[in-house]
Amino acid sequence: MPVRLSWSTAPLEADLDMVGHLELRLTAATTGTDIGWIALLQDVAPDGSATEVTQGWLRGALREVDEEASRPGRPVLPQRHPAPVPPDETVDYRIPLVANARRFRRGHRIRLTLTADDTRPDFPAMLGFTHAVVGVESIDTVHSSSRLLLPVLQTRP
């Protein structure tokens, strides 16, 4: 079974400027009662080399969102009221990634990688920083309705 999932864009037809707050709106189910979601955004050059751009993480039991204080791309997660993840039920998660600014060059790809364990030596942990594993083994299902909110600057014609 894969320990991570990755999605990549097609090669970009023009430079793309990203500036601001990012959010992964993840729709998923897990057989466990908790999970640690870790999302890594990378810039992939035409030669296949990848540069880490930003990362976000969320412990499933601390998924509560203060909707009044939140905005698209900036969920506010109070993390005060842990609640078990309901096993085998689809749950919507709002995972903030660290705000960033990046120009993705023409011909590059944008890659998002999702895992529940970034302590493995084959996972590119940003700045060598890893997260404690939740410790609950599970089988996880990610739904295609999941979306990455990427703040892109409009180019002028």
Side-chain angles (χ1 to χ4, degrees), residues 17 152-156:
D17 292 324
V152 175
L153 292 180
Q154 297 293 323
T155 56
R156 293 185 179 166

Side-chain angles (χ1 to χ4, degrees), residues 15-127:
D15 289 354
L16 183 141
D17 292 324
M18 174 196 76
V19 178
H21 296 273
L22 300 87
E23 175 185 348
L24 175 59
R25 291 196 176 179
L26 179 68
T27 303
T30 182
T31 58
T33 56
D34 202 359
I35 188 163
W37 295 113
I38 303 158
L40 174 66
L41 190 74
Q42 295 176 306
D43 181 342
V44 182
D47 68 2
S49 61
T51 302
E52 285 76 36
V53 175
T54 189
Q55 190 175 46
W57 50 92
L58 175 70
R59 183 154 183 189
L62 295 171
R63 66 191 176 279
E64 176 189 13
V65 176
D66 180 342
E67 295 294 348
E68 256 185 51
S70 296
R71 297 192 318 251
R74 290 187 82 175
V76 175
L77 305 163
Q79 299 187 353
R80 289 190 207 111
H81 309 287
V85 175
D88 300 313
E89 288 186 25
T90 299
V91 174
D92 292 319
Y93 300 93
R94 292 185 66 185
I95 304 171
L97 281 74
V98 176
N100 206 291
R102 176 80 175 191
R103 172 166 285 167
F104 294 93
R105 295 285 182 191
R106 179 178 179 263
H108 286 225
R109 296 173 186 264
I110 301 171
R111 178 168 57 206
L112 178 72
T113 300
L114 181 67
T115 187
D117 180 3
D118 64 357
T119 63
R120 300 171 56 92
D122 62 340
F123 187 82
M126 262 193 96
L127 302 173

